[in-house]
Amino acid sequence: MWETGVSRGGNGSAGQAVADGAPAEPAQACDLVTVPARQGLEAVDILRLRDGVGPVLHDGACDTLGFLVPAGTAAGWDVPGSACTQTSGRGVALGALCGEGAAAEPPVTGSGWLVPPEGAGAAATDPAVLRAALGEAARTIEAVDRCQ
């Protein structure tokens, strides 16, 4: 499980998964890579076809997507047009506080899951794979825009 950086009430404390009322092993922190929605949607398609994608948030108000990546990614993230936010281990373990069969609630108010944790192909998206997918997505968008 990965943490998101925004706390929400529940039966567990930040950093701990809860199953059947008993604390489970601590969750691992994550960072969040935020990109414009158009580029992010292209990248999600690329990742789904190839390497798998972890949970992805969609913020309709800001027209952005947020990819959950392993903690520590923010320290070396340098992809133009994107930002990587370090969460310092704050937050709720994705899916850990949900009842059986229930969907995890998005951890950020006003956002929704584009790829929910329970439907993701990985616990988090590999940063190197995400970097490559975002680059390919940017080149695809540029080529499409040139043709219009």
Side-chain angles (χ1 to χ4, degrees):
M1 296 275 162
W2 298 93
E3 292 184 345
T4 60
V6 178
S7 294
R8 122 178 124 93
N11 297 329
S13 62
Q16 289 192 324
V18 177
D20 298 327
E25 63 186 79
Q28 197 168 1
C30 71
D31 290 347
L32 185 70
V33 172
T34 308
V35 298
R38 185 176 180 202
Q39 182 181 14
L41 290 169
E42 287 287 338
V44 166
D45 286 344
I46 292 165
L47 291 168
R48 280 184 169 162
L49 291 172
R50 296 188 188 149
D51 302 304
V53 62
V56 179
L57 287 164
H58 177 247
D59 183 345
C62 294
D63 202 25
T64 59
L65 293 187
F67 292 82
L68 296 180
V69 294
T73 301
W77 191 258
D78 61 353
V79 176
S82 69
C84 188
T85 306
Q86 182 180 14
T87 64
S88 302
R90 298 179 314 268
V92 62
L94 296 174
L97 300 179
C98 297
E100 216 171 287
E105 290 182 31
V108 180
T109 303
S111 68
W113 290 115
L114 178 67
V115 180
E118 58 276 2
T125 302
D126 180 281
V129 173
L130 178 58
R131 180 185 309 272
L134 289 172
E136 185 175 339
R139 290 186 298 277
T140 300
I141 290 168
E142 184 180 325
V144 167
D145 288 349
R146 274 195 314 253
C147 293
Q148 293 179 351

